[in-house]
Amino acid sequence: MRKFLYSVYSFASVLMLMNFSGCKPKSAGDATGSDAAGKVYVAPGKYDEMYNFVSGGFSGQVSVYGIPSGRLLRVIPVFSVDPEKGWGYSEETKPMLNTSHGEIPWGDQHHLDLSQTNGEIDGRWLFANENNTPRVARIDLKTFRTAEIIEIPNSAGNHSSPFITENTEYVVAGTRFSVPLDNDNGDVPISSYKKNFKGTLSFISVAPKDGEMKLAFQLLLPGMNFDLSHSGKGPSGGWFFFSCYNSEQAHTLLEVNASKRDKDYILAVNWKKAEEYVKQGKGKKIKANYVHNKYSESTHNATSTNEKETIVLDVKDFPDLVYMIPCPKSPHGCDVDPTGEYIVGSGKLAALIPVFSFSKIQKAIANKTYDGAYGGIPVLKYEAALYGEVKKPGLGPLHTEFDGKGNAYTTFFISSEIVKWNIKDLKILDRQPTYYSPGHLTIAGGNTKKPYGKYLIAYNKITKDRFLPTGPELAQSAQLFDISGDKMKLLLDYPTIGEPHYAQMAPASLISKNSQKIFKLEENKNPYVTMGEKNSKVVREGNKVHVYMTAMRSHFSPDNIEGIQVGDEVYFHVTNLEQDWDVPHGFGVKGNINAELLVMPGETSTLKWVPKKAGIFPFYCTDFCSALHQEMQGYVRVSPKGSNVPLTFSLGKNSEAADEALKK
Amino acid sequence: MRKFLYSVYSFASVLMLMNFSGCKPKSAGDATGSDAAGKVYVAPGKYDEMYNFVSGGFSGQVSVYGIPSGRLLRVIPVFSVDPEKGWGYSEETKPMLNTSHGEIPWGDQHHLDLSQTNGEIDGRWLFANENNTPRVARIDLKTFRTAEIIEIPNSAGNHSSPFITENTEYVVAGTRFSVPLDNDNGDVPISSYKKNFKGTLSFISVAPKDGEMKLAFQLLLPGMNFDLSHSGKGPSGGWFFFSCYNSEQAHTLLEVNASKRDKDYILAVNWKKAEEYVKQGKGKKIKANYVHNKYSESTHNATSTNEKETIVLDVKDFPDLVYMIPCPKSPHGCDVDPTGEYIVGSGKLAALIPVFSFSKIQKAIANKTYDGAYGGIPVLKYEAALYGEVKKPGLGPLHTEFDGKGNAYTTFFISSEIVKWNIKDLKILDRQPTYYSPGHLTIAGGNTKKPYGKYLIAYNKITKDRFLPTGPELAQSAQLFDISGDKMKLLLDYPTIGEPHYAQMAPASLISKNSQKIFKLEENKNPYVTMGEKNSKVVREGNKVHVYMTAMRSHFSPDNIEGIQVGDEVYFHVTNLEQDWDVPHGFGVKGNINAELLVMPGETSTLKWVPKKAGIFPFYCTDFCSALHQEMQGYVRVSPKGSNVPLTFSLGKNSEAADEALKK
């Protein structure tokens, strides 16, 4: 046994290393330079064909790229603070990073899913998971801003998330690490894993009209690690599939101890049935403590709500809810083809790819073709669920997407390649090397009923020598392939932000049709909005000072403020009065142990400042806005606590009035 | 007078707006698609020709691009926290963001300058300024990491910085906003600006061997706004030139009140002379309070020192130190050509570009060809300093760089173009539109004695419709031009990070020759390093718990820890034992109100965690490192305060020993 363990361990280690000895820059393989150059070049003034939404991994944010150029169009702050945009620093956005553990400035953002209607991308929302402190975010594609974040109780490492059902009825969230439930005593020995640690799969409903999320129910499972998931579609639309590993239930050195069994599982979850049970009042309401944060576009303000309970269905009490399908070996990716019939499991230590058949799974369930049970859950016979196996596909299969023409594309981490194969006959059609070790890949609509094909992007985990060196730390690398022909052609390498795990891609028109250019000032319902310069003012309420400030090319109003005292809580409520696209104003004040504001046209945003010493503190516009941007500044005079300097301020537009006010 | 003011105001406003009514995507202008495509395409596996270091503006960081591809190779965290990399969150990096106001998570990073030897780029360091809370950073180009940050006292808005002398003897820092000196009583009326507000130009020496910075001296000037600067070179190498505006000394509505005078000034500063005076013990030592932060590569640890004084030379007492050259109108850019003879002032409201002659300036000084004095400083006669004027160049000139072939390139914000002109005959040779409203531009070595030509990049302030829309907030846009021929050719548009102000560009080999791939483990002098898994351990010291942890593909040691109590200060000191390029490990723990760690091979980094509730908390590697990355995890058991659960831990590598340890 010891020897076997060792062999597993060294197998992986050796394979891991073998790609990287003495590696040197390699040239473009199949693609000819000028051909590829023409295919990725987007001339100045022209638009990219597709949007590519890419997870930021340990950056916690979401990146938006244009394809085929590979240009980074925007980083959307989601789970991490972003001093650049004031995300998590402005009073309005602070609540968005609230959790039951307090305000957390960082997240680990792994996967994305675009909202769908009838199994097709509808361009409304983008969902994003947070792996470390389990959360799911909804990004509004009108504004490309995070609109909502919901925490997931009874969960740790929200990895198999935020995948959605084909009409965006639910977003799922499966725990990567099993842990004691929040409601139980968590102060238990780690060695009591099998007894005390539980797995949960969470189903979050999404309101069809405005996208609002709600934790609908959680399925309770034995302690294991849940990895990835995808919804069924068409005939399998009422089902969800989750991969799991560590069915060994190890709690230490998983590298060895969770790689013992030849097969772990893919879980087939009948979510329609679960929904029925919940409607019937089944399941248990248990105490939970999690936070739900919403950003209102009309008030430009976030609120945070503490939620108190959750509905849990213990699957061993509902024998027709979940079935387990054996899958070799430590499955990672779990992908459903556009027809909904084929489910591809990618065992990261397996030397083949099993393709399961939804109709055979249904038959096996009907006939109870079981191979025992796991933690009270029926295990289907492998052969009874299997459509067939892709033989010798490569080493370390991780993820599969589809082109809508009957082909599947799988990444291989260890053998560092992408393999194209036919879903029906399971024959390998092409293989192309990637540099180096791809994790996920994406094709536009490649996980929906309607893939758009044309491009495939591989997200590589190891970069080494692909770009000019930048010291010990390198950006991760993406590779764009043309998949319009029989053979994949490598077009472009480009570096990325954070660690891209999963990504989504969509034809540009599906997204840009909804894009909003400004916030209308007259619709601004922020309680601290200043509607026009003449209404700008400074108001003291005890030790709180509210500065109702406007920003307009090229001045703030007020721009000189006196009568602030050390220790005051000063709130700069900055309203950007512009009503023209792409005229943000910024706001920064010297020595603030906070960040800045970046305020879009029509928006109000608030920066809190507690001056610690007396003196003159300048503030200024931080975003070059006009030819006289360098003149867009002001001063605050801070006096010692208890000073009798009266509160005065100058209205920026009228310098004489300003001087008069200051002289008083 | 009132009418005149209004006309200035509306002139700028109208010009500002005129470019943007009904603007639509425009195509590539001069460049033909396929030609340009071939020129910017860098085939997979090939390297870019040049490094381009770009300021992040309100992001506070520095971006590194490859040129001609425009690919973002790395974001270097400098003045803002970066949850992605743990910058400002790891115990080792926290001191780097320290200031006299406390720890500040955000900065406004405007300008960059590469270190020079004999006026040429030497590839050792990159200097970066912080505008909001005045600071200068030095980035080490071996590691592409911030090595040092020094705060500037008596300053507010450190804008004309961090420009260097031709042998990197000094980095300068001029105050954008004048303020009372730190040592004076700052609680004064803002309307007493002329009396109480002072300007300072700071000279920071750079140690030739290791680059260590030291505030050498400050020049005291009347209150004004100082904008930009550049060192002389060759014959003018002992001089530094600074632009200033608001010589009106306005303190409110500068948009109007600082645009009254026809001319402001360029200051010619004899820094060699100032250095002599300081060596002679002249100048005043005054109290100051500023912070100096250094990161040690051997300990992987930053320290922060409080400095207590500064040497100030009041320039009115040293009549041969500084001369003022009248310059129309609110000058912004202040640029010196490669020969050192010509100084170009860009008055942002001027309708011409004055070119000053260093030899004429010297003659005017020798002959005292003065036009009075300003605040006790001699003002040279405009004509006596002037080489000539570029007539009708465009509207809103901002910045000029040089190609080393006798040509200058100036950006025009208002007329939205780049204009190429000959330095000698001041004739305009070419003009190309930019989309829209460029601020700075860069050419490789374009501000040194040795420009490399070939490419020019314009950094545009307004983006509008240049890329697929991303809601109200758009990335700013850069445009790459080929300047190898007589006419500039637009090659590529690409979006950028934050707001690029100034940038630097250099041929790749100048930088990459020094690039370091790993940190040698045997040279790691971090006090909490763990040299090998067998030395990993957990040590309690009162309520502090030190976890000496190792990370290696694919496990942590220890990986199970018990005996932690609510309220403990837990320090995870993670040493990455890998010694191979591009194998970082990450570290995150559930529910931590802190960020994560990203630990490079051979490095030790520390995350502080104060658990708030009892339970089981998983931790894991946040950077996909191997085929068994998903298994690289562990658990911490947190018990209530005062619990008698003993401190135990499992060594990751040996699961039996781990279990034994946990059973004790």
Side-chain angles (χ1 to χ4, degrees), chain A residues 406-437:
Chain A
N407 303 308
Y409 300 76
T410 303
T411 51
F412 289 83
F413 180 86
I414 296 173
S415 53
S416 197
E417 59 189 334
I418 296 174
V419 174
K420 175 182 178 180
W421 50 276
N422 183 277
I423 304 170
K424 280 282 158 63
D425 67 17
L426 307 176
K427 292 242 166 81
I428 289 168
L429 301 171
D430 186 26
R431 57 175 72 235
Q432 291 294 336
T434 59
Y435 307 96
Y436 303 93
S437 296

Side-chain angles (χ1 to χ4, degrees), chain B residues 457-498:
Chain B
I457 304 168
Y459 298 100
N460 301 305
K461 299 299 185 187
I462 295 171
T463 304
K464 296 270 184 192
D465 49 15
R466 299 302 289 176
F467 307 111
L468 284 176
T470 55
E473 196 178 324
L474 304 172
Q476 304 212 9
S477 120
Q479 290 189 295
L480 177 71
F481 290 84
D482 177 352
I483 57 165
S484 57
D486 287 343
K487 300 286 176 188
M488 298 175 273
K489 283 187 185 166
L490 176 59
L491 299 177
L492 183 69
D493 276 31
Y494 58 99
T496 53
I497 297 281

Side-chain angles (χ1 to χ4, degrees), chain A residues 6-258:
Chain A
Y6 182 72
S7 74
V8 169
Y9 179 62
S10 61
F11 163 79
S13 306
V14 168
L15 288 173
M16 258 299 305
L17 295 168
M18 83 186 184
N19 286 300
F20 309 118
S21 51
C23 55
K24 283 181 189 156
K26 295 194 181 72
S27 58
D30 265 357
T32 64
S34 67
D35 182 39
K39 285 185 172 171
V40 303
Y41 183 66
V42 177
K46 303 291 184 192
Y47 286 166
D48 275 288
E49 278 176 70
M50 296 196 182
Y51 283 95
N52 178 209
F53 300 95
V54 183
S55 84
F58 49 78
S59 90
Q61 319 294 40
V62 170
S63 301
V64 186
Y65 289 84
I67 299 297
S69 71
R71 295 178 298 183
L72 177 64
L73 303 176
R74 172 163 162 75
V75 174
I76 304 173
V78 188
F79 296 111
S80 295
V81 295
D82 187 356
E84 174 185 330
K85 302 179 174 78
W87 180 253
Y89 292 102
S90 75
E91 296 303 301
E92 285 83 357
T93 59
K94 273 182 184 172
M96 292 301 280
L97 300 182
N98 220 359
T99 74
S100 64
H101 302 264
E103 208 174 297
I104 292 187
W106 170 77
D108 184 14
Q109 202 285 295
H110 276 235
H111 310 118
L112 297 168
D113 218 358
L114 285 162
S115 59
Q116 297 176 24
T117 302
N118 297 324
E120 295 181 21
I121 295 168
D122 61 19
R124 301 176 75 193
W125 308 303
L126 176 69
F127 295 91
N129 74 324
E130 206 278 270
N131 187 51
N132 187 54
T133 303
R135 284 171 284 170
V136 169
R138 180 173 56 84
I139 294 162
D140 189 331
L141 292 176
K142 283 204 309 290
T143 56
F144 282 63
R145 285 190 175 185
T146 303
E148 191 178 3
I149 294 181
I150 189 167
E151 193 179 359
I152 318 293
N154 301 319
S155 194
N158 175 35
H159 200 265
S160 51
S161 179
F163 303 100
I164 58 159
T165 54
E166 62 187 343
N167 282 295
T168 320
E169 294 95 339
Y170 293 99
V171 189
V172 304
T175 199
R176 175 170 155 202
F177 310 110
S178 287
V179 284
L181 294 191
D182 298 351
N183 196 29
D184 293 345
N185 172 23
D187 180 20
V188 295
I190 298 169
S191 60
S192 72
Y193 184 102
K194 290 182 194 184
K195 183 181 162 209
N196 290 317
F197 288 38
K198 303 290 176 198
T200 53
L201 303 178
S202 303
F203 283 73
I204 300 156
S205 63
V206 179
K209 200 178 155 198
D210 61 7
E212 187 168 319
M213 299 188 287
K214 181 173 183 284
L215 179 59
F217 55 88
Q218 298 188 292
L219 305 182
L220 192 64
L221 290 130
M224 284 186 287
N225 287 46
F226 296 91
D227 207 342
L228 281 153
S229 66
H230 264 110
S231 171
K233 42 181 85 89
S236 59
W239 291 70
F240 225 107
F241 303 92
F242 293 81
S243 61
C244 70
Y245 63 108
N246 191 23
S247 59
E248 295 87 349
Q249 301 190 305
H251 58 83
T252 181
L253 196 60
L254 266 62
E255 180 185 23
V256 173
N257 296 328

Side-chain angles (χ1 to χ4, degrees), chain A residues 228-507:
Chain A
L228 281 153
S229 66
H230 264 110
S231 171
K233 42 181 85 89
S236 59
W239 291 70
F240 225 107
F241 303 92
F242 293 81
S243 61
C244 70
Y245 63 108
N246 191 23
S247 59
E248 295 87 349
Q249 301 190 305
H251 58 83
T252 181
L253 196 60
L254 266 62
E255 180 185 23
V256 173
N257 296 328
S259 304
K260 286 179 184 177
R261 298 183 69 195
D262 272 351
K263 290 196 175 66
D264 292 282
Y265 300 102
I266 284 178
L267 279 67
V269 175
N270 188 340
W271 65 262
K272 283 271 190 195
K273 182 69 80 176
E275 187 180 59
E276 272 176 45
Y277 283 138
V278 171
K279 273 187 196 148
Q280 292 161 13
K282 290 179 180 167
K284 251 201 285 196
K285 272 192 188 161
I286 63 171
K287 271 195 221 159
N289 178 19
Y290 62 102
V291 162
H292 189 177
N293 310 321
K294 292 174 223 170
Y295 186 84
S296 153
E297 248 190 55
S298 66
T299 63
H300 303 279
N301 205 0
T303 49
S304 192
T305 312
N306 291 309
E307 304 286 349
K308 298 293 183 199
E309 60 180 22
T310 178
I311 299 169
V312 170
L313 298 172
D314 190 333
V315 299
K316 69 177 187 301
D317 302 335
F318 298 90
D320 55 354
L321 266 192
V322 179
Y323 302 88
M324 297 179 82
I325 306 164
C327 183
K329 166 159 195 155
S330 299
H332 187 62
C334 173
D335 302 294
V336 181
D337 92 311
T339 69
E341 167 64 8
Y342 302 105
I343 299 109
V344 180
S346 295
K348 60 192 185 239
L349 298 178
L352 55 82
I353 302 174
V355 179
F356 301 100
S357 152
F358 180 71
S359 46
K360 284 187 76 177
I361 291 167
Q362 292 307 302
K363 203 176 294 176
I365 291 170
N367 298 337
K368 305 204 168 178
T369 317
Y370 294 161
D371 192 6
Y374 183 97
I377 306 165
V379 176
L380 303 185
K381 278 211 163 120
Y382 177 67
E383 293 74 16
L386 188 73
Y387 171 72
E389 292 171 344
V390 184
K391 305 287 189 188
K392 295 192 182 173
L395 294 170
L398 291 186
H399 299 282
T400 301
E401 292 233 322
F402 307 92
D403 65 4
K405 296 188 261 177
N407 303 308
Y409 300 76
T410 303
T411 51
F412 289 83
F413 180 86
I414 296 173
S415 53
S416 197
E417 59 189 334
I418 296 174
V419 174
K420 175 182 178 180
W421 50 276
N422 183 277
I423 304 170
K424 280 282 158 63
D425 67 17
L426 307 176
K427 292 242 166 81
I428 289 168
L429 301 171
D430 186 26
R431 57 175 72 235
Q432 291 294 336
T434 59
Y435 307 96
Y436 303 93
S437 296
H440 281 272
L441 79 174
T442 188
I443 293 169
N447 68 328
T448 71
K449 269 185 184 171
K450 188 178 174 183
Y452 295 86
K454 191 160 181 182
Y455 299 115
L456 178 155
I457 303 168
Y459 297 99
N460 301 304
K461 299 298 184 185
I462 295 171
T463 304
K464 297 271 185 192
D465 48 17
R466 299 303 288 176
F467 308 111
L468 284 176
T470 55
E473 197 177 324
L474 305 171
Q476 304 211 12
S477 120
Q479 291 189 295
L480 177 70
F481 290 83
D482 176 353
I483 58 166
S484 57
D486 288 343
K487 300 288 176 185
M488 298 175 273
K489 283 187 185 165
L490 176 60
L491 298 177
L492 183 68
D493 276 31
Y494 57 99
T496 52
I497 297 279
E499 179 178 346
H501 294 270
Y502 196 39
Q504 293 275 283
M505 186 154 47

Side-chain angles (χ1 to χ4, degrees), chain B residues 24-327:
Chain B
K24 281 180 190 159
K26 296 196 178 70
S27 57
D30 265 358
T32 63
S34 67
D35 182 39
K39 283 184 174 173
V40 302
Y41 183 66
V42 177
K46 302 291 184 193
Y47 285 166
D48 275 290
E49 277 175 70
M50 295 196 183
Y51 283 94
N52 179 208
F53 300 95
V54 184
S55 85
F58 50 76
S59 90
Q61 320 292 40
V62 170
S63 301
V64 186
Y65 289 84
I67 297 299
S69 70
R71 296 178 296 184
L72 176 64
L73 303 176
R74 170 163 164 73
V75 175
I76 304 173
V78 188
F79 295 111
S80 294
V81 295
D82 186 355
E84 175 185 329
K85 301 178 175 78
W87 180 253
Y89 293 101
S90 74
E91 295 304 301
E92 284 83 357
T93 59
K94 273 182 183 171
M96 293 301 281
L97 300 182
N98 220 359
T99 75
S100 65
H101 302 264
E103 209 175 296
I104 293 188
W106 170 76
D108 184 14
Q109 202 286 292
H110 275 237
H111 311 119
L112 296 169
D113 218 358
L114 285 163
S115 59
Q116 297 176 24
T117 302
N118 299 321
E120 296 181 22
I121 295 168
D122 62 19
R124 302 175 74 192
W125 308 303
L126 177 69
F127 295 91
N129 74 324
E130 206 278 89
N131 187 53
N132 188 54
T133 302
R135 284 171 284 170
V136 169
R138 181 174 56 84
I139 294 162
D140 189 331
L141 292 177
K142 284 202 309 290
T143 56
F144 282 63
R145 284 191 176 183
T146 303
E148 193 177 0
I149 294 180
I150 190 166
E151 194 179 0
I152 319 292
N154 300 319
S155 195
N158 175 35
H159 200 265
S160 51
S161 178
F163 302 100
I164 57 159
T165 54
E166 61 186 343
N167 283 294
T168 321
E169 294 96 337
Y170 292 98
V171 188
V172 304
T175 199
R176 175 171 155 200
F177 310 110
S178 287
V179 285
L181 296 191
D182 297 352
N183 197 28
D184 293 344
N185 173 24
D187 180 21
V188 295
I190 298 168
S191 60
S192 70
Y193 183 101
K194 289 181 196 185
K195 183 180 162 208
N196 290 316
F197 288 38
K198 303 291 175 197
T200 53
L201 303 179
S202 304
F203 283 73
I204 300 156
S205 63
V206 179
K209 201 177 154 197
D210 61 7
E212 187 166 322
M213 299 188 287
K214 182 173 182 284
L215 180 58
F217 57 88
Q218 298 188 294
L219 305 182
L220 193 64
L221 290 130
M224 285 185 287
N225 287 44
F226 297 89
D227 206 343
L228 280 154
S229 66
H230 263 110
S231 172
K233 42 180 87 86
S236 59
W239 291 70
F240 225 106
F241 303 93
F242 293 81
S243 61
C244 70
Y245 64 107
N246 190 23
S247 57
E248 295 87 350
Q249 302 191 305
H251 57 83
T252 182
L253 197 61
L254 265 63
E255 180 186 21
V256 173
N257 296 328
S259 303
K260 288 180 183 177
R261 300 186 67 196
D262 273 348
K263 291 197 176 65
D264 292 282
Y265 301 102
I266 283 178
L267 279 68
V269 176
N270 187 341
W271 64 261
K272 283 273 190 192
K273 182 70 80 176
E275 187 181 60
E276 270 175 46
Y277 284 137
V278 172
K279 273 189 196 146
Q280 292 162 11
K282 289 178 182 168
K284 248 201 287 193
K285 273 192 188 160
I286 63 170
K287 270 194 224 165
N289 177 18
Y290 63 101
V291 162
H292 188 177
N293 310 321
K294 293 174 221 169
Y295 186 84
S296 153
E297 248 192 55
S298 66
T299 62
H300 303 280
N301 205 0
T303 50
S304 192
T305 312
N306 291 309
E307 304 286 350
K308 297 293 182 201
E309 60 179 23
T310 178
I311 298 170
V312 170
L313 298 172
D314 189 333
V315 300
K316 70 176 185 299
D317 301 336
F318 299 90
D320 55 353
L321 267 192
V322 178
Y323 302 88
M324 296 179 84
I325 306 165
C327 184

